[in-house]
Amino acid sequence: MHVNRRDAIRHGLMGGAATLMPMAARAAPTRVTAAPVRWIDGAAPTMHGGQTFGVAWPRGTVRKGTRLTVRTADGGAVPSQGWVTATWPDGSVKWTAHALPADVAPERLVVDEGRETSPSAPVRVSETADAVTIRSGALVWTIGRSGAALVRGASQDGRQVLGAVTLVGAVKGDPEAGTAVPFEGVIERVTIEQRGPVRAVVKIEGRHAAGERRWLPFVVRLYAYAGSAALRLVHSFVHDGDVAKDFVSALGVCASVPMTGALHDRHVRIATDGAMFVEGVRPLTGLRRDPGAAFRAAQVAGKATPPIADMAKSVAAVLERIPAWDSFRLEQPNANGFAITKRTAAGQGWVDAREGKRAPGLAYVGGPQGGAALASRYFWQRHPTALHIDGATGDAATLTAWLWSPEAPAMDLRPYHGTMGMEGYDAQNEGLSVTYEDYEPGWDDAKGIARTSELMLWALPATPETSVLARMAAMQAEPPQLMAAPAHLHAAGVFADYGLPDRSTPNRTAIENQLVNLIDFYIGEVDRRSWYGFWNHGDIMHTYDSDRHVWRYDIGGFAWDNSELSPDLWLWYQALRTGDARTWRFAEAMTRHTGEVDVYRLGRFKGMGTRHGVQHFSDSSKQPRVSNASYRRIFYYLTADERVGDLLRNLTTSDQTLTSVEIGRKVPGNKRPVLPAGTIEMTFGTTWCPLAAAWLTEWERTGDTRWRDRIVAGLDSIGRLPHGWMTGSAPFDLASGRFIDQNRPISFSHLNAVFGAVEVSAELIRLLDVPRYRAAWLEYCRWYNAPQAEYLAKFGPPFGPRNLREGHSRLTAYAAFQEKDSALASRAAAEFLSGDAGLGTWPSDPRHAVDGVVEWPFVSTNASAQWGLAAIQNLALIPEALDRGTIVAPRPRKGGDA
């Protein structure tokens, strides 16, 4: 059955396959309009370690090669370094990134046309065959090109203050009783990615070595900013071991710190959630005999003490009788408790020093002649973490930030259950029926997942004041961030349809309030439910269990959400439109998690993501809908983050994995279609659209038209199918990038348009004039949610099942907006406000208590994400129609599953 296009669409749109540069894109560039830039927290920070932020530009307004600079709001020069991160189809600049030196923090900034200003002490990079050297003022870092030391040392004014910095760890063969075998990182490749003057970036790649074994591939990027005494370390590793035999029992970054001077002039500082832990290696405070107020004050302040001759003789004569403390430990085994202990020497007992709840994650060791501080972001959120200081009484101390503490039980990434008799598909489908877990033996494998951590390493000329160290700890725990003003980003016309917050009418106010309420609820649930831990932090749960008053953490496919139905996009679009700091950081943590823990970076599932489950890797459904580039690219463009850039690039070839990974194999009654040679079965929304987002990003970043042509081939071939997008899926030719027509009937899936298909289709339709695809997409948008009678009158039976009507209202709204159809807009508003297969209720706060326990009254996280995206897009597309609708009255109810 051929589906006729609407006359209004057909007119003028059914020409050739694609006009690759629409008329709007050919317009002559106009003068650059200055882009306001703001701090997401609303005010300038007292300290930051350097800033990188992205700015979007409307198509055709910034010619390639245009110089852009950063100024204060009143026109003052600000040192900066800029580069292009994406271009429009006409070659004009779409996104730029800009870096500022550390602690340059005007309240308001603008990016405008002009020549950049260099910092007074620029970052300079030089290299030899053996090493890379970064100079910033009096500070010199030496970075190895081979061996185990990522950083071989750092000096201030020619005086060494930091020794070798290495990656360390250990592995056990048995998680409970095995002997830990140590390993260390070994460098294989070093690349200088940026050379200053504001920002330099060095990428180090390698593997960890344990004897002859080379495993756990790593990428560590070192960032140096002008004006900073620190290197930012972005540490990523992939677990490529055998999860049944390789239990990582420690993983960390270790720095050697030269120690000079008397033991009472050596200082240890550890940040806590209360007062700073401030101690001397040999304490001069609290003694029975007083060494003198000047000595006590100097040690506490981190200064050199007066000469020993000035010390009270009752203390000076017996200094050796005062215990000197060689080792210190801060252990954060969970999200709500830490302990600090110390001891004088190996073989001696540990002494309890302090306890607290949530340490920010910074430690310092050194003295008046220099020292080092090391801080880890998400310290308590990514437990079990630790900070260790050893050798403080010797010639060199070691300062280690443990990403996985050696004092904790080893990582256990084994599947959480056995086969349970589910060797065959029939039994597996029975399991899916009762627990919602798509299980197949051997597919619940963690091999190939990754994790990225962020650290700061300071090489310091002297012990900082305690207040400075506290600011350093706070800065790393919650880094300040610049963001282009939401109004500017919106006006640039990047990404899909969204609008700025609008509270001009009662209904719009109610929707805006609910958007805020939902964000607040989930941020609160992360803390109330302690959704923390090394592998868990950044994700949220899928569905609530109203009988136990817990989320279904142990029930098959109902546990961790793993990006199901696009919460990542919901959060980022809300951050784009509001610039809200809490939403930004919530979305950022999710991006760090879902892009690596939920996605395979090597092995047989490379490029695939894992469907929601009890463990992030436990479900046997491996699909591009989870590895989705749409979930990463907003963060990439707002921050120019190189690690996320790597992940996006890696997804461009994910379609090749589908030749050996069958993602639709077990649906009861499903018949495998006969496919031509060189093709794979591919759904449009859950597979092709995520891949198209990766190809789009690569085309924008590089200008390589091969990726554009691959997108156009897919767009045009979908549009040529007799039923267009309503076909649902078709054979995909890997070589040409085109779908093959097998004259298939209409097939709807409620999942096809809820994994970024709406967003990437809107972008592609604006960027590339492919009339057939535009018509096919508008047809799908109009008819997915259509009333049954209307649909049957148009196409005849079968009608087929539908779901997520509330979320899909944004499809109807898109068609209404594009076709200027007011009746369709009213239908979209009714669909959205009905709550059908969505949230179903509109309380002022999406929580209520049962037996004193705050519970979730709605359907699921999936419904929340889809409601959020529908709300944002409908507010932009059909606001007047929303005003005519009726908001559903509050009626809390217990939830089920979408």
Side-chain angles (χ1 to χ4, degrees):
M1 177 180 65
H2 179 73
V3 179
N4 293 322
R5 313 301 191 199
R6 289 177 56 81
D7 292 341
I9 299 173
R10 186 188 299 112
H11 182 69
L13 291 179
M14 297 301 291
T19 303
L20 296 181
M21 195 176 296
M23 292 302 295
R26 302 191 185 104
T30 60
R31 188 188 182 284
V32 175
T33 300
V37 180
R38 56 184 287 278
W39 299 95
I40 62 172
D41 291 298
T46 58
M47 176 185 288
H48 70 85
Q51 284 289 307
T52 300
F53 60 93
V55 178
W57 304 98
R59 178 158 38 184
T61 61
V62 179
R63 293 180 186 273
K64 194 171 182 178
T66 300
R67 301 292 294 271
L68 297 172
T69 189
V70 181
R71 300 190 179 98
T72 61
D74 58 7
V78 175
S80 65
Q81 173 182 326
W83 60 100
V84 175
T85 53
T87 56
W88 291 98
D90 65 351
S92 63
V93 174
K94 186 174 186 179
W95 283 93
T96 55
H98 304 269
L100 303 185
D103 297 333
V104 172
E107 283 287 342
R108 292 182 297 161
L109 296 163
V110 295
V111 178
D112 201 355
E113 193 168 356
R115 186 174 296 274
E116 295 161 317
T117 301
S118 292
S120 57
V123 174
R124 303 186 186 281
V125 179
S126 59
E127 57 183 318
T128 65
D130 184 52
V132 174
T133 301
I134 299 177
R135 291 178 171 83
S136 180
L139 178 60
V140 179
W141 302 90
T142 303
I143 298 165
R145 285 191 178 274
S146 61
L150 307 182
V151 177
R152 293 179 179 172
S155 61
Q156 286 271 6
D157 291 316
R159 183 178 73 255
Q160 187 176 26
V161 294
L162 180 71
V165 179
T166 56
L167 303 183
V168 294
V171 61
K172 292 181 176 182
D174 185 306
E176 298 176 357
T179 300
V181 177
F183 57 74
E184 65 179 359
V186 177
I187 297 170
E188 296 177 349
R189 183 182 180 187
V190 174
T191 306
I192 301 172
E193 294 185 322
Q194 282 193 325
R195 294 177 175 270
V198 171
R199 180 187 195 252
V201 184
V202 178
K203 179 182 180 182
I204 304 173
E205 299 169 270
R207 295 177 185 271
H208 293 83
E212 296 299 316
R213 184 184 190 186
R214 298 292 185 271
W215 74 312
L216 295 182
F218 68 82
V219 176
V220 175
R221 279 186 170 87
L222 306 177
Y223 294 80
Y225 283 85
S228 174
L231 286 180
R232 178 173 179 251
L233 283 71
V234 177
H235 169 287
S236 306
F237 84 100
V238 182
H239 195 295
D240 64 342
D242 183 337
V243 298
K245 300 177 181 178
D246 298 313
F247 300 91
V248 175
S249 59
L251 191 69
V253 178
C254 181
S256 176
V257 185
M259 301 296 285
T260 59
L263 297 184
H264 60 267
D265 273 342
R266 301 182 181 188
H267 309 129
V268 169
R269 305 288 187 264
I270 301 175
T272 77
D273 52 4
M276 182 78 64
F277 181 82
V278 175
E279 297 212 353
V281 170
R282 171 168 281 149
L284 296 178
T285 64
L287 299 172
R288 184 181 183 190
R289 308 299 182 190
D290 186 3
F295 287 85
R296 289 184 281 108
Q299 190 176 71
V300 170
K303 308 294 185 184
T305 57
I308 290 291
D310 296 338
M311 185 182 290
K313 290 184 173 51
S314 59
V315 177
V318 292
L319 273 176
E320 296 300 317
R321 301 292 179 257
I322 303 172
W325 300 91
D326 186 71
S327 299
F328 299 77
R329 299 278 187 271
L330 166 62
E331 296 287 338
Q332 183 86 52
N334 57 65
N336 294 295
F338 71 81
I340 299 175
T341 58
K342 64 181 185 178
R343 71 179 181 185
T344 58
Q348 305 303 133
W350 290 93
V351 173
D352 295 333
R354 187 178 299 182
E355 291 185 355
K357 292 185 178 180
R358 294 173 169 178
L362 176 142
Y364 166 88
V365 64
Q369 299 304 307
L374 190 54
S376 180
R377 190 180 183 192
Y378 300 130
F379 184 75
W380 57 266
Q381 295 97 327
R382 296 271 189 93
H383 63 80
T385 51
L387 291 165
H388 289 185
I389 296 170
D390 295 290
T393 60
D395 294 335
T398 57
L399 173 59
T400 308
W402 291 107
L403 308 174
W404 189 281
S405 172
E407 302 298 319
M411 287 184 194
D412 192 346
L413 297 177
R414 293 173 295 182
Y416 79 100
H417 70 71
T419 305
M420 297 171 57
M422 293 187 288
E423 289 82 3
Y425 285 168
D426 288 345
Q428 292 163 25
N429 281 314
E430 290 171 356
L432 178 63
S433 173
V434 69
T435 69
Y436 203 30
E437 179 177 69
D438 191 357
Y439 171 77
E440 183 173 348
W443 288 56
D444 48 354
D445 189 357
K447 184 175 182 177
I449 68 172
R451 196 47 151 153
T452 289
S453 302
E454 302 167 62
L455 304 99
M456 289 285 280
L457 172 67
W458 287 266
L460 300 161
T463 302
E465 295 180 4
T466 300
S467 60
V468 173
L469 285 164
R471 291 200 300 274
M472 290 162 56
M475 176 194 76
Q476 177 61 5
E478 195 167 85
Q481 178 65 51
L482 284 168
M483 175 184 175
H488 178 87
L489 292 172
H490 179 257
V494 294
F495 303 132
D497 301 292
Y498 72 96
L500 301 175
D502 180 359
R503 297 176 181 273
S504 60
T505 69
N507 275 13
R508 298 180 206 184
T509 299
I511 296 170
E512 295 287 358
N513 287 345
Q514 185 73 328
L515 281 166
V516 174
N517 289 340
L518 286 172
I519 298 290
D520 288 347
F521 174 79
Y522 276 99
I523 291 175
E525 281 294 88
V526 168
D527 202 50
R528 286 187 290 270
R529 310 291 179 173
S530 287
W531 292 338
Y532 298 122
F534 183 83
W535 293 109
N536 294 336
H537 176 245
D539 206 351
I540 54 181
M541 285 281 171
H542 182 286
T543 304
Y544 194 76
D545 183 339
S546 57
D547 294 312
R548 288 186 289 174
H549 304 312
V550 297
W551 292 77
R552 302 184 197 179
Y553 71 95
D554 58 346
I555 304 296
F558 292 113
W560 292 113
D561 192 69
N562 283 31
S563 296
E564 183 72 357
L565 272 60
S566 306
D568 321 57
L569 280 178
W570 161 42
L571 296 174
W572 276 121
Y573 274 96
Q574 183 69 353
L576 280 171
R577 64 197 298 269
T578 65
D580 174 63
R582 296 174 74 237
T583 305
W584 171 294
R585 294 191 174 104
F586 190 26
E588 180 182 10
M590 185 172 288
T591 300
R592 286 291 188 211
H593 171 95
T594 59
E596 306 203 57
V597 179
D598 299 344
V599 176
Y600 290 91
R601 293 300 159 193
L602 52 75
R604 62 172 172 161
F605 301 131
K606 181 182 178 183
M608 300 294 103
T610 301
R611 176 181 177 269
H612 42 97
V614 172
Q615 293 166 296
H616 298 286
F617 50 85
S618 59
D619 199 272
S620 67
S621 178
K622 314 296 183 182
Q623 298 196 30
R625 77 190 210 196
V626 181
S627 59
N628 208 327
S630 290
Y631 300 158
R632 333 286 169 216
R633 59 197 297 268
I634 295 176
F635 177 69
Y636 171 74
Y637 285 131
L638 289 175
T639 64
D641 183 89
E642 281 83 0
R643 174 60 181 176
V644 173
D646 287 349
L647 304 181
L648 287 164
R649 181 155 291 147
N650 290 343
L651 294 174
T652 58
T653 57
S654 296
D655 53 344
Q656 300 302 314
T657 301
L658 296 173
T659 61
S660 58
V661 176
E662 173 58 61
I663 64 176
R665 67 195 179 284
K666 293 192 307 184
V667 177
N670 186 41
K671 295 182 180 179
R672 286 176 186 258
V674 177
L675 301 180
T679 68
I680 58 175
E681 183 69 18
M682 186 177 287
T683 58
F684 303 155
T686 56
T687 303
W688 185 81
C689 282
L691 293 170
W695 301 333
L696 167 60
T697 309
E698 190 68 4
W699 171 37
E700 291 181 327
R701 291 174 65 187
T702 66
D704 187 340
T705 56
R706 291 178 302 168
W707 302 109
R708 176 203 65 190
D709 295 345
R710 193 165 184 80
I711 295 168
V712 169
L715 294 172
D716 182 62
S717 58
I718 289 173
R720 288 179 183 272
L721 297 175
H723 306 306
W725 237 90
M726 295 171 71
T727 311
S729 69
F732 180 78
D733 182 69
L734 288 164
S736 67
R738 297 187 67 84
F739 287 93
I740 296 173
D741 181 11
Q742 292 187 327
N743 197 31
R744 294 184 179 182
I746 292 173
S747 177
F748 282 112
S749 165
H750 69 285
L751 297 181
N752 220 4
V754 293
F755 286 90
V758 175
E759 291 74 22
V760 75
S761 292
E763 283 196 66
L764 292 175
I765 287 170
R766 285 202 299 264
L767 290 171
L768 297 165
D769 186 13
V770 185
R772 288 188 176 89
Y773 185 82
R774 182 177 185 274
W777 177 243
L778 285 172
E779 180 179 63
Y780 184 83
C781 290
R782 171 176 284 270
W783 290 106
Y784 177 90
N785 258 355
Q788 184 175 6
E790 291 184 21
Y791 179 90
L792 292 175
K794 177 73 175 179
F795 302 112
F799 179 69
R802 303 287 193 273
N803 201 349
L804 303 171
R805 183 168 176 261
E806 182 181 69
H808 280 94
S809 67
R810 71 189 194 274
L811 300 182
T812 314
Y814 183 84
F817 179 82
Q818 293 293 327
E819 297 179 331
K820 299 180 174 55
D821 187 328
S822 60
L824 198 58
S826 295
R827 195 190 95 191
E831 293 165 359
F832 174 67
L833 297 174
S834 72
D836 185 8
L839 292 186
T841 183
W842 287 65
S844 59
D845 184 333
R847 293 171 293 168
H848 72 282
V850 175
D851 299 329
V853 178
V854 173
E855 80 161 353
W856 178 230
F858 302 138
V859 174
S860 66
T861 293
N862 301 346
S864 299
Q866 283 299 298
W867 183 91
L869 284 166
I872 290 168
Q873 291 162 11
N874 289 345
L875 281 169
L877 296 171
I878 55 165
E880 291 81 8
L882 293 176
D883 291 339
R884 296 191 295 270
T886 301
I887 299 293
V888 178
R891 56 177 198 279
R893 63 180 178 80
K894 295 184 178 181
D897 176 64

